[in-house]
Amino acid sequence: MTEKKIRIKVPKENKVRAELQKEIGSVCPFCDNEEVGHFEIHHIDENPSNNDTGNLLLLCSTCHSKITKGDISQLETLKKKIELMKSPIVSKSAGQKVVNFNSKIKNAIVGDYNNVSINQAKPAKPKYPQGCVGFETTKANYIGHLVKRFNEYKEYEVGKGNVKYAVFSAHLKKQFKLAPTRTLYNLPIERFGELVDYIHLRINSTKLAKIKGHGHKNYSTFDEYSKEYG
Ligand SMILES: [Zn+2]
């Protein structure tokens, strides 16, 4: 934990501190330390510029360093904060209190006066479902390889830097009747061969391919490609 963070002084620190001290009943929420005068303000989401009181917890320096070292987890700290916020003795203000996080916490506990809920990040779904070209990595990469090759050949005609890479992909999507919100990799796997044949044809029809002539190999076949990269 040698990483330096920009620490912005808590605005109205004395007032905030008094509020936080009341919240914990002047006792460290993790141990029984009562030397509240020496307590420190901890930023639960570890974002030192998030000075929302819902993100702050007053505690003794020993427990503070335990958090910093990871001996007390962020989840435990959060739970403690919510517990304290829920306590009718300390939470005298009317209405709801919410812990606000503006950092990139994936698993967060959000609490208000009555409820505590755990928002758990969903496991990442594979981007393309089974049955799509995108689901099969080698096939997807081969399509990417061919599209790139086409654009390289096209560059010869229009000049370096003038190829609009999105144009050919958009054309292919239209040709294969894919919805605008989809990508080429959403194409059903059964149509992989058809797509490959079409791109081959388009590469072979470029000016450069014609100049190179019939005998010239403009791209690897899928078999060759998958032997090398599959
Ligand atoms: Zn403590």
Side-chain angles (χ1 to χ4, degrees):
M1 292 280 167
T2 48
E3 186 192 349
K4 268 197 180 164
K5 284 178 180 171
I6 307 147
R7 200 162 281 276
I8 298 161
K9 197 173 151 47
V10 180
K12 296 180 189 158
E13 189 165 344
N14 289 341
K15 195 171 164 264
V16 170
R17 204 183 163 89
E19 202 182 307
L20 294 172
Q21 188 175 325
K22 203 190 271 180
E23 183 182 63
I24 59 167
S26 300
V27 180
C28 173
F30 293 102
C31 65
D32 293 327
N33 194 322
E34 289 178 17
E35 288 173 72
V36 74
H38 300 288
F39 283 8
E40 296 168 359
I41 295 174
H42 171 61
H43 290 79
I44 300 167
D45 72 351
E46 295 187 357
N47 174 2
S49 60
N50 181 8
N51 290 317
D52 188 300
T53 50
N55 186 44
L56 304 175
L57 183 64
L58 195 68
L59 76 179
C60 80
S61 60
T62 309
C63 293
H64 197 185
S65 64
K66 276 185 192 168
I67 293 174
T68 316
K69 280 185 268 174
D71 293 343
I72 298 172
S73 74
Q74 189 176 44
L75 204 66
E76 273 176 84
T77 314
L78 256 165
K79 280 182 181 166
K80 185 64 76 182
K81 175 70 182 181
I82 288 156
E83 222 173 84
L84 291 166
M85 291 200 321
K86 280 177 74 186
S87 161
I89 308 155
V90 291
S91 226
K92 281 179 187 154
S93 60
Q96 292 191 328
K97 273 190 175 182
V98 177
V99 186
N100 292 313
F101 293 97
N102 47 29
S103 70
K104 311 165 284 297
I105 295 179
K106 289 242 172 88
N107 299 302
I109 298 180
V110 178
D112 60 36
Y113 197 81
N114 304 303
N115 305 297
V116 175
S117 60
I118 298 175
N119 298 333
Q120 204 147 28
K122 284 182 192 141
K125 268 193 205 160
K127 205 173 169 207
Y128 294 98
Q130 205 161 356
C132 285
V133 169
F135 190 78
E136 296 187 30
T137 314
T138 311
K139 288 185 177 173
N141 289 345
Y142 182 60
I143 296 299
H145 164 76
L146 289 179
V147 169
K148 192 167 162 254
R149 181 54 50 87
F150 172 84
N151 284 319
E152 283 161 4
Y153 272 49
K154 206 70 193 165
E155 203 171 71
Y156 174 83
E157 283 170 42
V158 297
K160 220 171 165 69
N162 292 327
V163 178
K164 297 204 166 47
Y165 288 90
V167 171
F168 188 54
S169 295
H171 166 81
L172 291 171
K173 267 170 67 179
K174 209 170 167 189
Q175 193 70 21
F176 285 82
K177 297 189 167 58
L178 285 156
T181 52
R182 295 299 162 102
T183 81
L184 202 50
Y185 301 104
N186 284 108
L187 190 74
I189 198 72
E190 303 88 68
R191 300 191 70 193
F192 172 73
E194 206 184 319
L195 177 62
V196 167
D197 288 346
Y198 182 77
I199 307 174
H200 285 175
L201 188 79
R202 290 298 308 269
I203 296 171
N204 292 336
S205 331
T206 58
K207 249 184 202 162
L208 184 60
K210 282 179 181 152
I211 290 164
K212 289 188 176 201
H214 265 313
H216 185 82
K217 202 164 155 58
N218 297 312
Y219 43 77
S220 315
T221 65
F222 178 63
D223 279 349
E224 289 162 347
Y225 181 86
S226 53
K227 262 181 210 136
E228 196 166 345
Y229 302 101

